[in-house]
Amino acid sequence: MINKINLTIYYMMKRIFFLLSIFLVLNSCNVDDGERYHFQILGVEEAIVPDSFELGNTYEIKLRYYRPTTCHIYDGLYYDKDLNTRIIAIRTVVFERDNCVPADSELVEATFNFHVTNNGSYIFKFWQGTDENGEDIFYEVEVPVI
């Protein structure tokens, strides 16, 4: 009886050791994390917004911005809303490569659809960067809802 118990414990310990070994091997592998990157917010140079909105309609708003390098890739918008005020900027992914080329002489265009859900006026604050004191600079447009 004792030999059967010892044999069972031996096989159980062997299985536990085997599973633990596999777990350690899989967790200790050095997997390449891939390409390094970070996110950066860029300023809006130009915004093309309708003169007025109608409640319930959807409008395309065009934004133009300068892309600093070829390693800056458009990743959507920074978009913050507070009641009828919208703060908007360009969000990019910046790949950390050695072959980045300056590309800031060409305006790039991005668009988004804006659905009008409230009466009154909408105030769009397009972020354009910061001044010498680190204060945010905005290009503001007020669009009435008729």
Side-chain angles (χ1 to χ4, degrees), residues 57-76:
N57 288 347
T58 300
Y59 297 87
E60 182 179 83
I61 295 178
K62 293 182 183 182
L63 307 174
R64 293 192 178 118
Y65 66 98
Y66 287 112
R67 188 171 71 149
T69 70
T70 54
C71 292
H72 285 74
I73 308 299
Y74 178 78
D75 187 48

Side-chain angles (χ1 to χ4, degrees), residues 39-40 65 72-78 90-93:
F39 295 96
Q40 183 176 1
Y65 66 98
H72 285 74
I73 308 299
Y74 178 78
D75 187 48
L77 297 176
Y78 169 85
I90 304 295
R91 188 179 67 221
T92 60
V93 174

Side-chain angles (χ1 to χ4, degrees), residues 11 23 47 68 109 111-112 138:
Y11 284 118
F23 175 78
E109 189 171 278
T111 62
F112 71 97
F138 294 99

